[in-house]
Amino acid sequence: MTDKPTRRALMRPVQLLAIAFGSAVFALLVGAMSMGAFTQQPVEVIAQAWTVAAIIAGIVFIVVLLFVAMLLLVVDPADVTKTIDRPILLPDDEDDSAT
């Protein structure tokens, strides 16, 4: 076995789903409040507000899940454990920066 972290160890699927679910709940509450779900209106208006908020939450869940999964594909597992002992923004050639 190697001691390199795998992609699964970097971000477990439960954590990925939890981030997407938290974002969807936030979008659900914001959508419901902005559509007037917590006001004194007829039942049809409140039901329509919750329906639109649920659709928004579903879209946000899928988009955040795909976005975080795509960002996870960019990370190289070998670079996570590598120590960096120099400034990141400096060029690799130290001879060019000295002149």
Side-chain angles (χ1 to χ4, degrees):
M1 295 262 349
T2 62
D3 51 338
K4 291 181 182 178
T6 61
R7 290 197 195 278
R8 181 171 287 231
L10 289 176
M11 180 172 280
R12 291 175 172 72
V14 174
Q15 294 171 343
L16 186 70
L17 290 172
I19 291 170
F21 183 73
S23 300
V25 168
F26 179 74
L28 176 80
L29 291 175
V30 169
M33 283 189 273
S34 65
M35 292 287 294
F38 298 110
T39 58
Q40 298 290 334
Q41 293 185 1
V43 177
E44 295 85 20
V45 174
I46 294 174
Q48 183 181 10
W50 280 109
T51 304
V52 171
I55 292 170
I56 292 171
I59 291 170
V60 167
F61 178 78
I62 292 170
V63 167
V64 169
L65 189 65
L66 287 174
F67 185 73
V68 174
M70 289 296 160
L71 285 178
L72 186 62
L73 289 175
V74 174
V75 176
D76 185 20
D79 290 341
V80 174
T81 58
K82 195 184 310 180
T83 58
I84 300 172
D85 57 351
R86 63 176 187 81
I88 296 173
L89 296 177
L90 289 179
D92 290 334
D93 300 309
E94 294 181 5
D95 298 331
D96 293 340
S97 62
T99 58

Coordinates of all heavy atoms in Angstrom, one line a residue:
M1 N 0.8 -1.2 0.0 CA 0.0 0.0 0.0 C 0.9 1.2 0.0 O 1.9 1.3 0.6 CB -0.9 0.0 1.2 CG -1.9 -1.0 1.3 SD -3.5 -0.8 0.9 CE -4.2 0.6 0.6
T2 N 0.4 2.2 -0.6 CA 1.1 3.5 -0.6 C 0.4 4.4 0.4 O -0.7 4.3 0.7 CB 1.1 4.2 -2.0 OG1 -0.3 4.4 -2.4 CG2 1.7 3.2 -3.1
D3 N 1.2 5.4 0.9 CA 0.6 6.3 1.8 C 0.2 7.6 1.1 O 0.0 8.6 1.8 CB 1.6 6.6 2.9 CG 3.0 7.0 2.4 OD1 3.3 6.7 1.3 OD2 3.7 7.7 3.2
K4 N 0.0 7.6 -0.2 CA -0.5 8.7 -0.9 C -2.1 8.8 -0.7 O -2.7 7.8 -0.7 CB -0.3 8.7 -2.4 CG 1.2 8.8 -2.8 CD 1.3 8.7 -4.3 CE 2.7 8.8 -4.7 NZ 2.9 8.7 -6.1
P5 N -2.6 10.0 -0.4 CA -4.1 10.0 -0.3 C -4.8 9.9 -1.6 O -4.3 10.3 -2.6 CB -4.3 11.4 0.3 CG -3.1 12.2 -0.1 CD -2.0 11.3 -0.2
T6 N -5.8 9.2 -1.6 CA -6.6 9.0 -2.8 C -7.7 10.1 -2.9 O -7.8 10.9 -2.0 CB -7.4 7.6 -2.7 OG1 -8.3 7.6 -1.6 CG2 -6.4 6.5 -2.6
R7 N -8.3 10.2 -4.0 CA -9.3 11.2 -4.2 C -10.5 11.0 -3.1 O -11.1 11.9 -2.6 CB -9.9 11.2 -5.6 CG -8.9 11.7 -6.6 CD -9.6 12.0 -7.9 NE -8.7 12.2 -9.0 CZ -8.0 13.3 -9.2 NH1 -8.2 14.3 -8.4 NH2 -7.2 13.3 -10.2
R8 N -10.8 9.7 -2.9 CA -11.8 9.5 -1.9 C -11.4 9.9 -0.5 O -12.2 10.4 0.3 CB -12.1 8.0 -1.9 CG -13.2 7.6 -0.9 CD -13.6 6.1 -1.1 NE -14.3 6.0 -2.3 CZ -15.5 5.4 -2.4 NH1 -16.0 4.9 -1.4 NH2 -16.1 5.4 -3.6
A9 N -10.1 9.8 -0.2 CA -9.6 10.3 1.1 C -9.6 11.8 1.2 O -9.8 12.4 2.3 CB -8.3 9.7 1.4
L10 N -9.4 12.5 0.1 CA -9.4 14.0 0.1 C -10.8 14.5 0.4 O -10.9 15.5 1.2 CB -8.9 14.5 -1.3 CG -7.5 14.3 -1.6 CD1 -7.2 14.8 -3.1 CD2 -6.6 15.0 -0.7
M11 N -11.8 14.0 -0.2 CA -13.1 14.5 0.1 C -14.1 13.3 -0.1 O -14.3 12.8 -1.2 CB -13.6 15.6 -0.8 CG -14.9 16.1 -0.6 SD -15.4 17.6 -1.4 CE -14.6 18.8 -0.4
R12 N -14.6 12.8 1.0 CA -15.5 11.7 1.0 C -16.8 12.1 0.3 O -17.2 13.2 0.4 CB -15.6 11.2 2.4 CG -14.4 10.6 2.9 CD -14.5 10.2 4.4 NE -13.4 9.4 4.8 CZ -12.2 9.9 5.1 NH1 -11.9 11.1 4.9 NH2 -11.2 9.1 5.5
P13 N -17.5 11.1 -0.3 CA -18.7 11.4 -0.9 C -19.8 12.0 0.0 O -20.6 12.8 -0.4 CB -19.2 10.1 -1.5 CG -18.0 9.3 -1.6 CD -17.0 9.8 -0.6
V14 N -19.7 11.6 1.3 CA -20.7 12.1 2.3 C -20.5 13.6 2.5 O -21.4 14.4 2.6 CB -20.6 11.4 3.6 CG1 -21.4 12.0 4.7 CG2 -20.9 9.9 3.4
Q15 N -19.2 14.0 2.5 CA -18.9 15.4 2.7 C -19.3 16.2 1.4 O -19.8 17.3 1.5 CB -17.4 15.6 2.9 CG -17.0 15.1 4.2 CD -15.5 15.1 4.4 OE1 -14.7 15.2 3.4 NE2 -15.0 15.0 5.6
L16 N -19.1 15.6 0.3 CA -19.5 16.3 -1.0 C -21.1 16.5 -1.0 O -21.6 17.5 -1.4 CB -19.1 15.4 -2.2 CG -19.3 15.9 -3.6 CD1 -18.3 17.1 -3.8 CD2 -19.0 14.8 -4.5
L17 N -21.8 15.4 -0.6 CA -23.2 15.5 -0.6 C -23.7 16.5 0.5 O -24.7 17.2 0.3 CB -23.9 14.2 -0.4 CG -23.8 13.2 -1.5 CD1 -24.2 11.8 -1.1 CD2 -24.5 13.7 -2.7
A18 N -23.0 16.6 1.6 CA -23.4 17.5 2.7 C -23.2 18.9 2.3 O -24.1 19.8 2.6 CB -22.6 17.2 4.0
I19 N -22.2 19.2 1.6 CA -22.0 20.6 1.1 C -23.1 21.0 0.1 O -23.7 22.1 0.2 CB -20.6 20.7 0.4 CG1 -19.5 20.7 1.4 CG2 -20.5 22.1 -0.4 CD1 -18.1 20.6 0.9
A20 N -23.4 20.1 -0.8 CA -24.5 20.3 -1.8 C -25.8 20.4 -1.1 O -26.7 21.3 -1.5 CB -24.5 19.2 -2.9
F21 N -26.1 19.6 -0.1 CA -27.4 19.6 0.6 C -27.5 20.9 1.4 O -28.6 21.5 1.4 CB -27.5 18.4 1.5 CG -28.8 18.3 2.2 CD1 -30.0 18.0 1.5 CD2 -28.9 18.6 3.5 CE1 -31.2 17.9 2.1 CE2 -30.1 18.5 4.2 CZ -31.3 18.1 3.5
G22 N -26.4 21.3 2.1 CA -26.5 22.6 2.8 C -26.8 23.8 1.9 O -27.5 24.6 2.3
S23 N -26.2 23.8 0.8 CA -26.4 24.9 -0.2 C -27.9 24.8 -0.7 O -28.5 25.9 -0.9 CB -25.5 24.8 -1.4 OG -24.1 24.8 -1.0
A24 N -28.4 23.6 -0.9 CA -29.8 23.5 -1.4 C -30.8 23.9 -0.3 O -31.8 24.6 -0.6 CB -30.0 22.0 -1.8
V25 N -30.5 23.6 1.0 CA -31.4 24.0 2.0 C -31.4 25.6 2.1 O -32.4 26.2 2.3 CB -31.0 23.4 3.4 CG1 -31.7 24.0 4.6 CG2 -31.3 21.9 3.3
F26 N -30.2 26.1 2.0 CA -30.1 27.6 2.1 C -30.9 28.2 0.9 O -31.6 29.2 1.1 CB -28.6 28.0 2.0 CG -28.4 29.5 2.0 CD1 -28.6 30.3 3.2 CD2 -28.1 30.2 0.9 CE1 -28.4 31.6 3.2 CE2 -27.9 31.6 0.8 CZ -28.1 32.3 2.0
A27 N -30.7 27.7 -0.3 CA -31.5 28.2 -1.5 C -33.0 28.0 -1.3 O -33.8 28.8 -1.7 CB -31.0 27.5 -2.7
L28 N -33.4 26.9 -0.7 CA -34.8 26.6 -0.4 C -35.4 27.7 0.5 O -36.4 28.3 0.2 CB -35.0 25.2 0.2 CG -36.4 24.9 0.6 CD1 -37.2 24.5 -0.6 CD2 -36.4 23.8 1.7
L29 N -34.7 28.0 1.6 CA -35.2 29.0 2.5 C -35.2 30.4 1.9 O -36.2 31.1 2.1 CB -34.3 29.0 3.8 CG -34.5 27.7 4.7 CD1 -33.5 27.8 5.8 CD2 -35.9 27.6 5.1
V30 N -34.1 30.7 1.2 CA -34.1 32.1 0.6 C -35.2 32.2 -0.5 O -35.9 33.2 -0.6 CB -32.7 32.4 0.0 CG1 -32.7 33.6 -0.9 CG2 -31.7 32.5 1.1
G31 N -35.4 31.1 -1.3 CA -36.4 31.1 -2.3 C -37.8 31.2 -1.7 O -38.7 31.9 -2.2
A32 N -38.0 30.5 -0.6 CA -39.4 30.5 0.0 C -39.6 31.8 0.6 O -40.8 32.4 0.5 CB -39.4 29.4 1.1
M33 N -38.7 32.4 1.3 CA -38.9 33.7 1.9 C -39.1 34.8 0.8 O -39.9 35.7 1.0 CB -37.7 34.1 2.8 CG -37.7 33.4 4.1 SD -36.5 34.0 5.3 CE -35.1 33.0 4.8
S34 N -38.3 34.7 -0.3 CA -38.5 35.8 -1.3 C -39.8 35.6 -2.1 O -40.3 36.6 -2.6 CB -37.3 35.8 -2.2 OG -37.3 34.6 -3.0
M35 N -40.3 34.4 -2.1 CA -41.6 34.2 -2.8 C -42.8 34.5 -1.9 O -43.9 34.5 -2.4 CB -41.7 32.8 -3.4 CG -40.7 32.5 -4.5 SD -41.1 33.3 -6.0 CE -42.6 32.5 -6.4
G36 N -42.6 34.7 -0.6 CA -43.7 35.0 0.3 C -44.4 33.8 0.9 O -45.6 33.8 1.1
A37 N -43.6 32.7 1.2 CA -44.2 31.5 1.8 C -44.5 31.7 3.2 O -45.3 31.0 3.8 CB -43.2 30.4 1.6
F38 N -43.9 32.7 3.9 CA -44.2 32.9 5.3 C -45.1 34.1 5.6 O -45.0 34.7 6.7 CB -42.8 33.1 6.0 CG -41.9 31.9 5.9 CD1 -40.8 31.9 5.2 CD2 -42.2 30.7 6.6 CE1 -40.0 30.8 5.0 CE2 -41.4 29.6 6.5 CZ -40.3 29.6 5.7
T39 N -45.9 34.5 4.6 CA -46.8 35.6 4.8 C -48.2 35.2 4.9 O -48.5 34.0 4.7 CB -46.6 36.6 3.6 OG1 -46.9 35.9 2.4 CG2 -45.2 37.1 3.5
Q40 N -49.1 36.1 5.2 CA -50.5 35.8 5.4 C -51.2 36.0 4.0 O -51.7 37.0 3.7 CB -51.1 36.7 6.4 CG -50.6 36.6 7.8 CD -51.0 35.3 8.4 OE1 -52.1 34.7 8.1 NE2 -50.2 34.8 9.3
Q41 N -51.0 35.0 3.1 CA -51.6 35.0 1.8 C -52.4 33.7 1.6 O -52.4 32.8 2.4 CB -50.5 35.1 0.8 CG -49.7 36.4 0.8 CD -48.7 36.4 -0.3 OE1 -48.6 35.5 -1.1 NE2 -48.0 37.5 -0.4
P42 N -53.2 33.7 0.5 CA -54.0 32.4 0.3 C -53.1 31.2 0.1 O -51.9 31.3 -0.2 CB -54.7 32.7 -1.1 CG -54.7 34.2 -1.2 CD -53.5 34.7 -0.5
V43 N -53.7 30.1 0.3 CA -53.0 28.8 0.3 C -52.3 28.5 -1.0 O -51.2 27.9 -1.1 CB -53.9 27.6 0.7 CG1 -53.2 26.3 0.7 CG2 -54.5 27.9 2.1
E44 N -53.0 28.9 -2.1 CA -52.4 28.7 -3.4 C -51.1 29.4 -3.7 O -50.2 28.9 -4.3 CB -53.4 29.1 -4.5 CG -54.7 28.3 -4.5 CD -55.7 28.9 -3.6 OE1 -55.6 30.0 -3.1 OE2 -56.6 28.1 -3.2
V45 N -51.0 30.6 -3.1 CA -49.8 31.4 -3.3 C -48.7 30.8 -2.5 O -47.5 30.7 -3.0 CB -50.0 32.9 -2.9 CG1 -48.8 33.7 -2.9 CG2 -51.1 33.5 -3.8
I46 N -49.0 30.3 -1.3 CA -48.0 29.7 -0.4 C -47.5 28.4 -1.0 O -46.3 28.1 -1.1 CB -48.5 29.5 1.0 CG1 -48.7 30.9 1.6 CG2 -47.5 28.7 1.8 CD1 -49.4 30.9 3.0
A47 N -48.4 27.6 -1.6 CA -48.1 26.4 -2.2 C -47.2 26.6 -3.5 O -46.2 25.9 -3.7 CB -49.3 25.6 -2.6
Q48 N -47.5 27.6 -4.2 CA -46.7 27.9 -5.4 C -45.3 28.4 -5.0 O -44.3 28.1 -5.6 CB -47.4 29.0 -6.2 CG -46.6 29.3 -7.5 CD -47.3 30.4 -8.3 OE1 -48.3 31.1 -7.8 NE2 -46.9 30.7 -9.5
A49 N -45.2 29.2 -3.9 CA -43.9 29.6 -3.4 C -43.1 28.5 -3.0 O -41.9 28.4 -3.3 CB -44.1 30.6 -2.2
W50 N -43.6 27.5 -2.3 CA -42.9 26.3 -1.9 C -42.5 25.5 -3.1 O -41.4 24.9 -3.1 CB -43.6 25.5 -0.8 CG -43.5 26.1 0.5 CD1 -44.5 26.7 1.2 CD2 -42.4 26.2 1.4 NE1 -44.1 27.2 2.4 CE2 -42.7 26.8 2.6 CE3 -41.1 25.7 1.2 CZ2 -41.8 27.1 3.6 CZ3 -40.2 26.0 2.3 CH2 -40.6 26.6 3.4
T51 N -43.3 25.4 -4.1 CA -43.0 24.6 -5.3 C -41.8 25.2 -6.0 O -40.9 24.5 -6.4 CB -44.2 24.5 -6.2 OG1 -45.3 24.0 -5.5 CG2 -43.9 23.7 -7.4
V52 N -41.9 26.5 -6.2 CA -40.8 27.2 -6.9 C -39.5 27.1 -6.1 O -38.4 26.9 -6.6 CB -41.1 28.7 -7.2 CG1 -39.9 29.5 -7.7 CG2 -42.3 28.8 -8.2
A53 N -39.6 27.3 -4.7 CA -38.4 27.2 -3.9 C -37.8 25.8 -3.9 O -36.6 25.6 -3.9 CB -38.8 27.5 -2.4
A54 N -38.6 24.7 -4.0 CA -38.1 23.4 -4.1 C -37.4 23.1 -5.4 O -36.4 22.4 -5.5 CB -39.3 22.4 -3.9
I55 N -38.0 23.7 -6.5 CA -37.3 23.6 -7.8 C -35.9 24.3 -7.8 O -34.9 23.8 -8.3 CB -38.2 24.1 -8.9 CG1 -39.4 23.2 -9.1 CG2 -37.4 24.3 -10.2 CD1 -40.5 23.8 -10.0
I56 N -35.9 25.5 -7.2 CA -34.6 26.2 -7.1 C -33.6 25.4 -6.2 O -32.5 25.3 -6.6 CB -34.9 27.6 -6.5 CG1 -35.6 28.5 -7.4 CG2 -33.6 28.3 -6.0 CD1 -36.1 29.8 -6.8
A57 N -34.1 24.8 -5.1 CA -33.2 24.0 -4.3 C -32.7 22.8 -5.0 O -31.5 22.4 -4.9 CB -34.0 23.6 -3.0
G58 N -33.5 22.1 -5.8 CA -33.0 21.0 -6.6 C -32.0 21.4 -7.6 O -31.0 20.7 -7.8
I59 N -32.2 22.5 -8.3 CA -31.2 23.0 -9.3 C -29.9 23.4 -8.6 O -28.8 23.0 -9.0 CB -31.8 24.2 -10.0 CG1 -32.9 23.7 -10.9 CG2 -30.7 24.9 -10.8 CD1 -33.7 24.9 -11.6
V60 N -30.0 24.0 -7.4 CA -28.8 24.4 -6.7 C -28.0 23.2 -6.2 O -26.8 23.1 -6.2 CB -29.1 25.3 -5.5 CG1 -28.0 25.5 -4.5 CG2 -29.5 26.7 -6.0
F61 N -28.8 22.1 -5.7 CA -28.1 20.9 -5.3 C -27.3 20.3 -6.4 O -26.2 19.9 -6.2 CB -29.2 19.9 -4.8 CG -28.6 18.6 -4.3 CD1 -28.0 18.5 -3.1 CD2 -28.7 17.5 -5.1 CE1 -27.5 17.3 -2.7 CE2 -28.2 16.3 -4.7 CZ -27.6 16.2 -3.5
I62 N -27.9 20.2 -7.6 CA -27.2 19.5 -8.7 C -26.0 20.4 -9.2 O -24.9 19.8 -9.4 CB -28.2 19.3 -9.9 CG1 -29.2 18.2 -9.4 CG2 -27.5 18.9 -11.1 CD1 -30.4 18.1 -10.4
V63 N -26.2 21.7 -9.2 CA -25.1 22.5 -9.7 C -23.9 22.5 -8.7 O -22.8 22.4 -9.1 CB -25.6 24.0 -10.0 CG1 -24.5 24.9 -10.1 CG2 -26.5 24.0 -11.2
V64 N -24.2 22.6 -7.5 CA -23.1 22.6 -6.5 C -22.4 21.2 -6.4 O -21.2 21.2 -6.3 CB -23.7 23.0 -5.1 CG1 -22.6 22.7 -4.0 CG2 -24.1 24.5 -5.1
L65 N -23.2 20.2 -6.5 CA -22.6 18.8 -6.5 C -21.7 18.7 -7.7 O -20.5 18.2 -7.6 CB -23.7 17.8 -6.6 CG -23.3 16.3 -6.4 CD1 -22.7 16.2 -5.0 CD2 -24.5 15.4 -6.6
L66 N -22.1 19.1 -8.9 CA -21.3 19.0 -10.1 C -20.0 19.9 -10.0 O -18.9 19.5 -10.4 CB -22.1 19.3 -11.4 CG -23.0 18.2 -11.8 CD1 -23.9 18.7 -13.0 CD2 -22.3 17.0 -12.2
F67 N -20.2 21.1 -9.5 CA -19.1 22.1 -9.4 C -18.1 21.6 -8.5 O -16.9 21.6 -8.8 CB -19.7 23.4 -9.0 CG -18.7 24.5 -9.0 CD1 -18.2 25.1 -10.2 CD2 -18.2 25.0 -7.8 CE1 -17.2 26.1 -10.2 CE2 -17.2 26.0 -7.8 CZ -16.8 26.5 -9.0
V68 N -18.4 21.1 -7.3 CA -17.4 20.7 -6.3 C -16.8 19.4 -6.8 O -15.6 19.2 -6.6 CB -18.1 20.5 -4.9 CG1 -17.1 19.9 -4.0 CG2 -18.6 21.8 -4.4
A69 N -17.5 18.5 -7.5 CA -16.9 17.3 -8.0 C -15.9 17.6 -9.1 O -14.8 17.0 -9.2 CB -18.0 16.4 -8.6
M70 N -16.2 18.6 -10.0 CA -15.3 19.0 -11.0 C -14.0 19.7 -10.4 O -12.9 19.5 -10.9 CB -15.9 20.0 -12.0 CG -16.9 19.4 -12.9 SD -16.1 18.1 -13.9 CE -17.5 17.2 -14.4
L71 N -14.2 20.5 -9.3 CA -13.0 21.0 -8.7 C -12.2 19.9 -8.0 O -11.0 20.1 -7.9 CB -13.5 22.0 -7.6 CG -14.0 23.4 -8.1 CD1 -14.4 24.2 -6.9 CD2 -12.9 24.1 -8.9
L72 N -12.8 18.9 -7.5 CA -12.1 17.8 -6.9 C -11.2 17.0 -7.9 O -10.2 16.5 -7.6 CB -13.1 16.8 -6.3 CG -12.5 15.7 -5.5 CD1 -11.7 16.2 -4.3 CD2 -13.6 14.8 -4.9
L73 N -11.7 17.0 -9.2 CA -10.9 16.3 -10.2 C -9.6 17.1 -10.6 O -8.7 16.5 -11.1 CB -11.8 16.2 -11.5 CG -12.9 15.1 -11.4 CD1 -13.7 15.2 -12.7 CD2 -12.3 13.8 -11.2
V74 N -9.6 18.4 -10.3 CA -8.4 19.2 -10.6 C -7.3 18.9 -9.6 O -6.1 19.0 -10.0 CB -8.8 20.7 -10.6 CG1 -7.6 21.5 -10.7 CG2 -9.8 21.0 -11.6
V75 N -7.6 18.5 -8.4 CA -6.6 18.3 -7.3 C -5.8 17.0 -7.6 O -6.4 15.9 -7.8 CB -7.2 18.2 -6.0 CG1 -6.2 17.9 -4.9 CG2 -8.0 19.5 -5.7
D76 N -4.5 17.1 -7.6 CA -3.6 15.9 -7.8 C -3.4 15.4 -6.4 O -2.8 16.1 -5.5 CB -2.3 16.3 -8.5 CG -1.5 15.1 -8.7 OD1 -2.0 14.0 -8.8 OD2 -0.3 15.3 -9.0
P77 N -3.7 14.2 -6.1 CA -3.5 13.6 -4.7 C -2.1 13.7 -4.3 O -1.8 13.8 -3.1 CB -4.0 12.2 -4.8 CG -4.9 12.2 -5.9 CD -4.4 13.2 -6.9
A78 N -1.1 13.6 -5.2 CA 0.3 13.6 -4.8 C 0.7 15.0 -4.3 O 1.6 15.2 -3.5 CB 1.2 13.2 -5.9
D79 N 0.1 16.1 -4.8 CA 0.4 17.4 -4.4 C -0.1 17.8 -3.0 O 0.4 18.8 -2.5 CB -0.1 18.4 -5.4 CG 0.6 18.3 -6.8 OD1 1.7 17.8 -6.8 OD2 0.1 18.8 -7.8
V80 N -1.0 17.0 -2.5 CA -1.6 17.4 -1.2 C -0.5 17.2 -0.1 O -0.4 18.0 0.8 CB -2.8 16.6 -0.9 CG1 -3.4 16.8 0.5 CG2 -3.9 16.9 -2.0
T81 N 0.2 16.1 -0.1 CA 1.2 15.8 0.9 C 2.5 16.5 0.7 O 3.4 16.5 1.6 CB 1.4 14.3 1.1 OG1 1.8 13.8 -0.2 CG2 0.1 13.6 1.4
K82 N 2.8 17.1 -0.5 CA 4.0 17.7 -0.8 C 4.2 19.0 0.0 O 3.3 19.8 0.0 CB 4.1 18.0 -2.3 CG 5.5 18.3 -2.8 CD 5.5 18.7 -4.2 CE 4.8 17.7 -5.1 NZ 4.8 18.1 -6.5
T83 N 5.4 19.1 0.6 CA 5.6 20.3 1.4 C 6.2 21.4 0.5 O 7.0 21.1 -0.4 CB 6.6 20.1 2.6 OG1 7.8 19.5 2.0 CG2 6.0 19.1 3.6
I84 N 5.8 22.6 0.6 CA 6.3 23.7 -0.2 C 7.1 24.6 0.7 O 6.6 25.2 1.7 CB 5.1 24.5 -0.8 CG1 4.3 23.6 -1.7 CG2 5.6 25.7 -1.6 CD1 3.1 24.2 -2.2
D85 N 8.4 24.8 0.4 CA 9.3 25.6 1.3 C 9.7 26.9 0.7 O 10.7 27.4 1.1 CB 10.5 24.7 1.7 CG 11.3 24.2 0.5 OD1 10.8 24.3 -0.6 OD2 12.3 23.6 0.8
R86 N 9.0 27.3 -0.3 CA 9.4 28.6 -1.0 C 8.1 29.3 -1.3 O 7.0 28.7 -1.4 CB 10.2 28.4 -2.2 CG 9.5 27.6 -3.3 CD 10.3 27.5 -4.6 NE 9.6 26.9 -5.6 CZ 8.7 27.5 -6.4 NH1 8.5 28.8 -6.2 NH2 8.0 26.9 -7.3
P87 N 8.2 30.6 -1.6 CA 7.0 31.3 -2.0 C 6.4 30.7 -3.3 O 7.2 30.4 -4.2 CB 7.5 32.8 -2.2 CG 8.7 32.9 -1.4 CD 9.3 31.5 -1.4
I88 N 5.1 30.7 -3.4 CA 4.5 30.0 -4.5 C 4.5 30.9 -5.8 O 4.7 30.4 -6.9 CB 3.0 29.7 -4.2 CG1 3.0 28.7 -3.0 CG2 2.3 29.1 -5.4 CD1 1.6 28.4 -2.5
L89 N 4.4 32.2 -5.6 CA 4.3 33.1 -6.8 C 5.7 33.4 -7.4 O 5.7 34.0 -8.5 CB 3.6 34.3 -6.4 CG 2.1 34.2 -6.0 CD1 1.6 35.5 -5.6 CD2 1.3 33.5 -7.1
L90 N 6.8 33.0 -6.8 CA 8.1 33.3 -7.4 C 8.3 32.2 -8.5 O 7.9 31.1 -8.5 CB 9.2 33.2 -6.4 CG 9.3 34.3 -5.4 CD1 10.4 34.0 -4.4 CD2 9.4 35.6 -6.0
P91 N 9.1 32.6 -9.5 CA 9.4 31.7 -10.6 C 10.3 30.6 -10.1 O 11.0 30.7 -9.1 CB 10.1 32.5 -11.7 CG 10.6 33.7 -11.0 CD 9.6 34.0 -9.8
D92 N 10.2 29.5 -10.9 CA 11.0 28.3 -10.5 C 12.5 28.5 -10.6 O 13.3 28.0 -9.9 CB 10.7 27.1 -11.3 CG 9.3 26.6 -11.0 OD1 8.8 26.8 -9.9 OD2 8.6 26.0 -11.9
D93 N 12.9 29.3 -11.6 CA 14.3 29.7 -11.8 C 14.7 30.8 -10.9 O 14.3 31.9 -11.1 CB 14.6 30.1 -13.3 CG 14.2 28.9 -14.2 OD1 14.7 27.8 -14.0 OD2 13.5 29.2 -15.2
E94 N 15.6 30.5 -10.0 CA 16.0 31.6 -9.1 C 17.1 32.5 -9.7 O 17.4 33.6 -9.3 CB 16.5 31.0 -7.8 CG 15.4 30.3 -7.0 CD 15.9 29.7 -5.7 OE1 17.1 29.9 -5.4 OE2 15.2 29.1 -5.0
D95 N 17.8 32.0 -10.8 CA 18.8 32.8 -11.5 C 18.2 33.9 -12.2 O 18.8 35.0 -12.3 CB 19.5 31.9 -12.5 CG 20.3 30.8 -11.8 OD1 20.7 31.0 -10.6 OD2 20.5 29.7 -12.4
D96 N 17.0 33.8 -12.8 CA 16.3 34.9 -13.5 C 15.9 36.0 -12.6 O 15.9 37.2 -12.9 CB 15.1 34.4 -14.3 CG 15.5 33.4 -15.4 OD1 16.7 33.5 -15.8 OD2 14.6 32.6 -15.8
S97 N 15.5 35.6 -11.3 CA 15.0 36.7 -10.4 C 16.2 37.4 -9.8 O 16.0 38.5 -9.3 CB 14.2 36.0 -9.3 OG 15.0 35.1 -8.6
A98 N 17.4 36.9 -9.8 CA 18.5 37.6 -9.2 C 19.1 38.6 -10.1 O 19.7 39.6 -9.6 CB 19.6 36.5 -8.9
T99 N 18.9 38.5 -11.4 CA 19.4 39.5 -12.3 C 18.5 40.7 -12.5 O 17.4 40.7 -12.2 CB 19.7 38.9 -13.7 OG1 18.5 38.4 -14.2 CG2 20.8 37.8 -13.6

